[in-house]
Amino acid sequence: MQKVDKVVLAYSGGLDTSIILKWLKNNYDCEVVCMTADLGQGEEMDGIEEKALKTGAVKAYVEDLREEFVRDYVFPMFRANALYEGRYLLGTAIARPLISKRMVEIAEMEGAQAVSHGATGKGNDQVRFELATMALNPRLRTIAPWREWELKSRTDLINFAQENDIPIPVSRTKPWSIDANLLHTSFEGGELEDPWNAPGPDCYRNITPPERCPDEPEEITIDFEAGDPIAINSVKYSPAALLAKLNELGGRHGIGRIDMVENRFVGMKSRGVYETPGGTILAAAHRDLEGLCMDREMMHLRDTLIPRYAEMVYYGYWFSPEREALQAMIDKSQEKVTGTVRVKLYKGNCVPLGRKSPFSLYNPELATFEEDYVYDQADAAGFIKLVGLRLKGRMQQSKWGGKEIEDSCE
Ligand code: ARG
């Protein structure tokens, strides 16, 4: 196998990736270039470059990817109303392809032969990082230390850190694994490993428990253009700022917590708790506007494809021909999804109150219960007669052996 001289590592600055940095240098006798992506995880980015260099990196990139993340990954996925297994808004899954894309770009700039990540051998994230890397640059190798090294327990990791002068954060009891970005915060492991255990108070980060939410509901409007949100209460925001604003609103009103057992791509079931405050409001408002502007058959066809699209994102097939083709179809379906939705936020609920659009397909003349001049109610009789024909036929067949079909058709 080709010698690895230089590796680009996805570095968070935490204990695990600091250990990986050292381990790569020791084991591969290579240079390590660190890449830290700011996806709005809210952790301190200041000082991370120094920390990487101090731990032995030859170079450290700190990349602000927040706008790109929301504009080119989160929003396209929300155009599709993607939901994995009917509930998970895919907050971690959608971030991985972007991190990989930036790693590949840096690897190409730096002339590195490999990239490396801190995902374990049991999760989905390794698959997502590596499939994206393969799709973008098939020449690059991925080194996944968790699948290679001899460090088997937390104690092993702590010992390794001590031997290599890596500072160990005091709060390192590590009750669970957290992954955060502008779209969501996820909690897995620790006390959550028993699916019957209710999540404790530490499992809340950005969302107020509904019991402690304001007693006054808050009403907001969201403007959409071609399926993407552009303004809140008529104030325009950049994609990342808009999602941050919705997070603040949703968090305050207790919106967007999901606790579920899901099927991982690698085969096991796992229990996760997710906080997706802004995304939950966005999904509800977007779906509501589609009710007004989207053609019936278009919507029904698209709806059959949501589980497939969500699966592609979850499995790590973002950069794949099938996801791209489906995206083109979905984007086409969104051309007229422009307008405004009014929603009420109240104690964990996000309730649409009204919607309007220049492309509304809602025809009050057709829908009215009052007398109208465009719809002839008598037409409905023939319509029902024809669509019900086979239903009558089936019962007649089983009851009377097919006789009387003609008679009963009147
Ligand atoms: N189960 C979720 C997913 O697969 C969340 C994963 C969280 N990842 C993590 N490294 N903590 O998308």
Side-chain angles (χ1 to χ4, degrees):
M1 198 176 283
Q2 194 203 352
K3 162 99 177 77
V4 175
D5 301 313
K6 212 186 227 187
V7 180
V8 179
L9 167 66
Y11 178 74
S12 73
L15 180 63
D16 293 19
T17 49
S18 298
I19 291 175
I20 289 175
L21 204 176
K22 276 267 163 46
W23 182 89
L24 285 169
K25 287 182 58 172
N26 296 351
N27 255 265
Y28 282 85
D29 188 25
C30 61
E31 292 186 332
V32 178
V33 173
C34 285
M35 196 288 280
T36 308
D38 183 357
L39 296 173
Q41 57 270 50
E43 269 155 26
E44 208 40 77
M45 289 290 148
D46 294 342
I48 213 154
E49 185 182 339
E50 278 160 71
K51 194 172 178 195
L53 297 175
K54 245 183 76 191
T55 318
V58 289
K59 204 165 174 183
Y61 289 81
V62 178
E63 304 286 295
D64 182 352
L65 303 179
R66 287 174 296 176
E67 291 295 344
E68 188 179 0
F69 175 50
V70 181
R71 187 190 59 230
D72 298 342
Y73 295 78
V74 175
F75 283 1
M77 179 174 81
F78 273 71
R79 279 176 224 145
N81 294 334
L83 268 186
Y84 183 67
E85 298 186 340
R87 290 192 281 176
Y88 173 38
L89 283 160
L90 295 159
T92 294
I94 192 63
R96 300 322 193 185
L98 173 57
I99 298 172
S100 300
K101 173 172 156 278
R102 196 64 199 127
M103 298 249 286
V104 168
E105 286 162 0
I106 291 173
E108 287 167 353
M109 263 161 24
E110 292 286 336
Q113 300 80 28
V115 293
S116 180
H117 60 71
T120 75
K122 293 184 83 172
N124 296 313
D125 290 323
Q126 52 173 348
V127 185
R128 297 168 182 152
F129 282 131
E130 294 175 41
L131 291 181
T133 304
M134 287 171 176
L136 295 173
N137 186 337
R139 290 215 170 118
L140 278 173
R141 229 176 106 178
T142 298
I143 302 174
W146 277 104
R147 302 198 301 248
E148 286 185 29
W149 64 24
E150 294 299 307
L151 310 172
K152 293 284 173 253
S153 62
R154 293 244 51 90
T155 327
D156 289 350
L157 286 190
I158 305 276
N159 290 342
F160 184 96
Q162 275 163 351
E163 282 156 26
N164 289 278
D165 294 323
I166 297 166
I168 300 157
V170 265
S171 63
R172 217 40 210 189
T173 40
K174 202 176 193 261
W176 44 48
S177 160
I178 294 179
D179 177 61
N181 59 44
L182 259 175
L183 181 56
H184 92 341
T185 300
S186 77
F187 304 82
E188 287 179 351
E191 65 183 33
L192 299 175
E193 275 180 12
D194 177 348
W196 182 250
N197 265 353
D202 292 347
C203 200
Y204 285 76
R205 260 206 184 176
N206 307 309
I207 298 185
T208 315
E211 299 82 357
R212 297 213 304 269
C213 284
D215 287 326
E216 284 305 307
E218 188 166 351
E219 206 181 300
I220 61 165
T221 60
I222 305 177
D223 296 339
F224 287 86
E225 205 172 273
D228 290 345
I230 52 162
I232 301 168
N233 294 333
S234 307
V235 179
K236 291 213 169 173
Y237 290 90
S238 73
L242 186 136
L243 187 53
K245 180 76 189 163
L246 286 181
N247 281 337
E248 181 199 315
L249 291 162
R252 179 153 74 230
H253 291 282
I255 294 163
R257 272 177 70 88
I258 294 287
D259 178 342
M260 67 188 282
V261 176
E262 75 200 37
N263 290 294
R264 282 193 187 159
F265 192 21
V266 289
M268 77 283 269
K269 289 190 183 289
S270 84
R271 197 268 190 96
V273 172
Y274 304 112
E275 293 191 326
T276 322
T280 301
I281 299 175
L282 200 55
H286 177 252
R287 173 60 94 169
D288 190 81
L289 184 60
E290 285 186 343
L292 190 67
C293 319
M294 192 183 269
D295 172 72
R296 180 187 72 195
E297 294 306 314
M298 178 68 251
M299 182 189 285
H300 293 185
L301 174 61
R302 193 278 319 273
D303 283 353
T304 64
L305 295 167
I306 291 176
R308 297 299 309 278
Y309 182 98
E311 206 172 60
M312 289 167 202
V313 176
Y314 189 88
Y315 289 179
Y317 290 112
W318 182 260
F319 300 113
S320 70
E322 66 277 20
R323 202 281 306 172
E324 287 163 12
L326 209 45
Q327 191 73 54
M329 181 267 208
I330 279 154
D331 292 353
K332 174 85 189 154
S333 80
Q334 298 294 301
E335 281 172 354
K336 300 276 167 67
V337 183
T338 294
T340 304
V341 183
R342 198 146 68 97
V343 290
K344 181 169 85 177
L345 315 176
Y346 185 59
K347 292 188 192 287
N349 297 296
C350 171
V351 187
L353 298 175
R355 64 295 288 165
K356 62 180 179 184
S357 165
F359 302 119
S360 171
L361 297 172
Y362 181 89
N363 183 342
E365 294 209 336
L366 276 174
T368 184
F369 283 97
E370 304 301 321
E371 192 185 347
D372 73 79
Y373 306 95
V374 281
Y375 184 94
D376 185 350
Q377 297 204 19
D379 289 347
F383 173 73
I384 299 166
K385 208 185 266 179
L386 294 185
V387 296
L389 204 50
R390 67 192 183 88
L391 301 178
K392 288 167 88 176
R394 183 170 80 130
M395 186 47 82
Q396 279 154 350
Q397 169 64 43
S398 68
K399 262 198 165 137
W400 306 304
K403 289 198 289 290
E404 294 186 50
I405 288 185
E406 276 103 82
D407 309 354
S408 66
C409 287
E410 289 152 35

